[in-house]
Amino acid sequence: MIEQDDLLLLSHLRTHAVGNDEMRARSCDALAEDPGRAAGRVLGWALQRTLEHLRRHGRRGWRMDQGVVPSPQETRLLSMIRAIADRREDEARQAALWLVPEREVQTLLDRAAPLLGFYAPAIPERRRAAATA
């Protein structure tokens, strides 16, 4: 089931993936307002680094959808991030392995870990996970 936080992350992810410089700048400005300037910069940076890694090493190519329903790749990425947030390491690794070759799994997990910021404020367990990521 897709949640509001998933949609927010997808919106920013898609903007960073296919948007022009002006659209990416607006995304970064929005992130600077919420969750804040420093955290927003980290989220923008993490979005770019995660996308670059997926483009370079993705097993199935990176496909974005335009509608509310996420693509299979987006679904796996969201599952991976939720699993990281909930400290389900095996599930996070399995989702990452679906996206990239085994040798690239840890790098993808590391690059995506700051994206927990899209979820952390709503759930105390995820807030603690984000603080230690």
Side-chain angles (χ1 to χ4, degrees), residues 5 10 15-17 19 30 42 44 50 53-55 58 70 75 83-84 88 104 107-108 110 116 119 121-123 133:
D5 291 336
L10 280 178
T15 298
H16 282 261
V42 170
T50 301
H53 196 73
L54 288 167
R55 284 183 182 132
T75 299
I84 293 169
R88 297 182 317 240
E104 299 298 332
T107 302
L108 178 60
D110 292 343
L116 297 175
Y119 298 93
I123 301 171

Side-chain angles (χ1 to χ4, degrees), residues 52 74 99 129 131:
E52 287 170 8
E74 291 170 330
L99 293 165

Side-chain angles (χ1 to χ4, degrees), residues 6-36:
D6 297 324
L7 293 174
L8 179 62
L9 172 55
L10 280 178
S11 172
H12 285 285
L13 184 74
R14 290 172 177 174
T15 298
H16 282 261
V18 298
N20 59 33
D21 289 341
E22 183 180 331
M23 293 171 70
R24 282 190 292 275
R26 279 190 295 207
S27 170
C28 289
D29 289 345
L31 291 171
E33 288 182 30
D34 184 25

